[in-house]
Amino acid sequence: MNMNIKEIREDFPILDSGIIYMDSAATSLTPEPVLDAVLDYYRNYNANVGRGVYKLTQIASQKYEDAHKTVAKFIGTTSNELIFTKNTTEGINTVASGIGLKKEDKVVVSLWEHHSNLLPWIRAKKTLGIDLEVVKPNAISEGEAKTQCALETSDFVDAIDKKTKIVAITHVSNALGSILPVKEISKLCAESNALLLVDAAQSVPHMKIDVRDMGCDFLAFSGHKMLGPTGIGGLVIKEELMDEMEPLTVGGGAVEDVSFADYRLKQSYEKFESGTPNIAGAMGLSAAVEYLEGIGMEKVRAWEEKQGKRIIEELRELDNVEIYGYGSEAFERGQRIGVVSFNVKGVNPIEVASRLDTEASITVRSGHHCCIPLMNYLGLGAEGTVRSSVYLYNTEAEVETFLELIRKISNS
Ligand SMILES: Cc1ncc(COP(=O)(O)O)c(C=O)c1O
């Protein structure tokens, strides 16, 4: 199951600078084939899409269409169900504003949500008066620390009811690395006739995703977290919901017919992509998907799990280090990815991150990770945690350097 990390690293020119990049949950590095795909568009077939008859635009349009197909297939769907967005945030906002929420509706989210899957719903509560319910751990079982923040399917049972219009949950917590059982939760949604939106920003880059098998109605993700460029992402919308949904924006490229009084929108993903799309970004995202497929998502996941497990187990040996989220046993249960959140007691997370950077060019994230309510639940406030997040280009030697330095910081 091993990957050739040395060969992989040669595809990432930024690594020549000597950085040890452990902040891939924020954004991933970009390999040469993705850079090439973006440049290829600007160099060789730079034209708008879907709007002309000349050869160059036809090449661009065909490639844009192909990019839809490649990315859709990667997550187990077809291009008629995938719209390109700017990022996960835009995908979630598209759903929140497009499903016709009304005052009497209820929206269910979880304690683990990123601000991008909270603010659109809080706004709906403020402007429409919807009921917003946040699922938190119901009970902390014996021997289980509050710092684990465990969430099980059973925690959602009471919250999802006949009033629930949509359940909007993260697949993987960006702050904890913990995985929600979305497939099981989808069954609860079906029983109550509720829609299910999965925020897959942290899962699509790290594991094999099959949207249909997952049983969700919407799935949002970002290209820049999966080796693609910034400014491009995807939103899967179940085909039968596309007709009745309102797009986030309306304008050129999305219409069948227009008069001064009215317009008729196209009945395809184009309805949701008005205006000139991020064509170069789509080419880059498609190349990123091909790159990941070339390696194999099972291998990517296994490699990250191995590194994540080692980080957790070694940090656990340090008396004054506190780890948040599930322990390393959760890898075997399929409840974890390689993201590790922790604190060195008595040392501000910013200081830990700065020392890692200045002493060994190690990049990790410090702070609330756009999860202020979760950090408050953990009693951490906006200071938050230190978060390491590995990807397919991290070596075991890099992980060792990181651990060495944490040992040193925790002893000083
Ligand atoms: C779980 C999760 N959801 C949503 C987002 C927002 O992603 P973007 O900034 O690409 O829209 C992130 C980004 O870190 C995330 O981790």
Side-chain angles (χ1 to χ4, degrees):
M1 258 303 194
N2 272 350
M3 303 185 298
N4 189 336
I5 305 291
K6 191 167 173 288
E7 228 172 78
I8 288 173
R9 289 174 66 85
E10 282 166 13
D11 289 330
F12 291 84
I14 201 169
L15 292 173
D16 294 345
S17 66
I19 52 157
I20 296 181
Y21 192 76
M22 294 177 73
D23 194 21
S24 295
T27 199
S28 58
L29 302 180
T30 321
E32 293 282 9
V34 173
L35 300 173
D36 288 347
V38 172
L39 274 183
D40 187 38
Y41 165 69
Y42 287 116
R43 285 203 168 118
N44 298 316
Y45 56 97
N46 189 160
N48 214 327
V49 292
R51 285 174 171 81
V53 291
Y54 56 89
K55 278 202 255 356
L56 213 56
T57 184
Q58 290 197 359
I59 295 170
S61 300
Q62 187 58 53
K63 284 184 179 277
Y64 187 70
E65 191 65 43
D66 291 346
H68 262 94
K69 287 186 186 146
T70 305
V71 177
K73 189 160 168 272
F74 181 63
I75 48 173
T77 183
T78 45
S79 57
N80 53 334
E81 291 195 319
L82 175 75
I83 68 168
F84 281 144
T85 58
K86 203 163 68 179
N87 47 36
T88 305
T89 307
E90 188 176 86
I92 296 169
N93 275 277
T94 300
V95 177
S97 72
I99 55 171
L101 281 173
K102 293 189 197 67
K103 190 178 185 320
E104 55 274 21
D105 292 330
K106 176 170 162 185
V107 174
V108 174
V109 296
S110 85
L111 171 70
W112 293 358
E113 303 314 321
H114 185 281
H115 295 163
S116 289
N117 194 29
L118 275 181
L119 269 64
W121 310 112
I122 297 172
R123 179 158 71 176
K125 182 182 160 95
K126 286 169 55 166
T127 56
L128 302 169
I130 60 146
D131 179 11
L132 179 62
E133 180 159 351
V134 183
V135 174
K136 299 185 184 137
N138 271 332
I140 297 171
S141 47
E142 213 181 313
E144 181 187 296
K146 191 183 177 194
T147 49
Q148 278 203 6
C149 260
L151 275 181
E152 318 279 343
T153 310
S154 56
D155 295 316
F156 287 80
V157 171
D158 289 343
I160 304 173
D161 56 22
K162 297 286 175 221
K163 226 189 117 204
T164 310
K165 172 88 177 184
I166 188 164
V167 175
I169 46 171
T170 194
H171 189 189
V172 177
S173 157
N174 64 302
L176 304 169
S178 314
I179 300 176
L180 269 184
V182 283
K183 194 173 169 180
E184 284 177 30
I185 296 169
S186 82
K187 292 178 191 145
L188 293 180
C189 293
E191 282 165 22
S192 290
N193 222 0
L195 296 166
L196 175 62
L197 160 72
V198 175
D199 170 353
Q202 299 293 344
S203 59
V204 171
H206 304 288
M207 60 183 72
K208 184 81 201 111
I209 293 294
D210 185 331
V211 180
R212 298 235 166 95
D213 181 60
M214 199 183 265
C216 62
D217 300 285
F218 308 101
L219 180 124
F221 57 98
S222 299
H224 70 95
K225 293 184 195 289
M226 51 189 288
L227 311 183
T230 53
I232 184 86
L235 173 69
V236 175
I237 304 178
K238 217 182 201 177
E239 202 174 0
E240 58 257 42
L241 297 170
M242 276 204 170
D243 279 3
E244 67 204 53
M245 265 180 77
E246 271 297 315
L248 192 62
T249 56
V250 287
V255 282
E256 210 70 84
D257 197 14
V258 191
S259 70
F260 281 121
D262 205 358
Y263 55 78
R264 196 171 71 249
L265 294 174
K266 286 182 176 168
Q267 287 308 322
S268 69
Y269 72 75
E270 287 167 295
K271 165 178 159 181
F272 295 89
E273 291 188 8
S274 57
T276 300
N278 182 353
I279 308 167
M283 300 311 152
L285 178 55
S286 176
V289 160
E290 281 167 359
Y291 189 90
L292 286 169
E293 274 177 335
I295 289 164
M297 290 311 287
E298 292 77 14
K299 285 188 189 169
V300 171
R301 186 169 183 184
W303 181 252
E304 290 175 26
E305 284 193 354
K306 189 172 170 201
Q307 308 319 314
K309 197 168 174 186
R310 175 161 175 227
I311 293 172
I312 293 174
E313 284 174 359
E314 304 241 355
L315 290 184
R316 206 153 53 184
E317 295 299 309
L318 306 174
D319 286 342
N320 52 350
V321 168
E322 179 104 74
I323 300 171
Y324 306 94
Y326 297 130
S328 59
E329 324 74 56
F331 286 109
E332 272 91 74
R333 298 196 305 262
Q335 285 183 321
R336 232 198 172 291
I337 67 160
V339 167
V340 184
S341 238
F342 65 96
N343 270 326
V344 179
K345 287 179 197 157
V347 189
N348 191 300
I350 295 177
E351 196 184 324
V352 176
S354 301
R355 281 192 62 182
L356 288 167
D357 184 31
T358 48
E359 293 179 35
S361 297
I362 298 172
T363 65
V364 295
R365 183 52 62 97
S366 55
H368 55 63
H369 317 295
C370 292
C371 293
I372 292 177
L374 170 62
M375 294 297 130
N376 284 336
Y377 175 88
L378 287 166
L380 299 171
E383 267 190 12
T385 71
V386 181
R387 181 189 69 185
S388 68
S389 52
V390 291
Y391 209 0
L392 71 176
Y393 32 68
N394 289 109
T395 65
E396 291 184 314
E398 287 182 331
V399 170
E400 182 50 39
T401 307
F402 161 77
L403 288 168
E404 273 295 317
L405 205 40
I406 297 296
R407 282 183 209 112
K408 191 172 138 194
I409 294 168
S410 75
N411 279 328
S412 54

